[in-house]
Amino acid sequence: VIYEIDTVVPPSASDLFSIDANSGEITLTGELDFEAVTLYDLNIKAKDKGSPPLLGHCQVLVEVLDVN
């Protein structure tokens, strides 16, 4: 199965998240700022290597909490 980030809302945050294509593990590539954005919506798709390939998708919501 190959994992991929399809879309990120807001679009300006697309460079803040990365996904491992083999494991599907999502990691941050930058810092999240509670005062700028409190909720991120990532749409993830997964595709197998069959013929024809099957496709699945899910939604990951990331809520940023203010700890100050």
Side-chain angles (χ1 to χ4, degrees):
V1 177
I2 303 297
Y3 298 93
E4 177 182 339
I5 296 176
D6 192 25
T7 58
V8 177
V9 177
S12 61
S14 62
D15 60 338
L16 291 177
F17 298 94
S18 176
I19 192 166
D20 183 289
N22 296 314
S23 70
E25 180 180 12
I26 300 169
T27 55
L28 286 174
T29 58
E31 293 186 10
L32 303 181
D33 183 3
F34 171 81
E35 294 169 356
V37 179
T38 59
L39 186 68
Y40 296 89
D41 182 358
L42 287 74
N43 292 299
I44 309 297
K45 64 181 178 182
K47 182 170 52 171
D48 70 8
K49 297 177 185 176
S51 180
L54 298 176
L55 182 68
H57 64 276
C58 73
Q59 179 182 37
V60 176
L61 297 175
V62 178
E63 182 179 6
V64 182
L65 302 177
D66 186 8
V67 294
N68 292 332

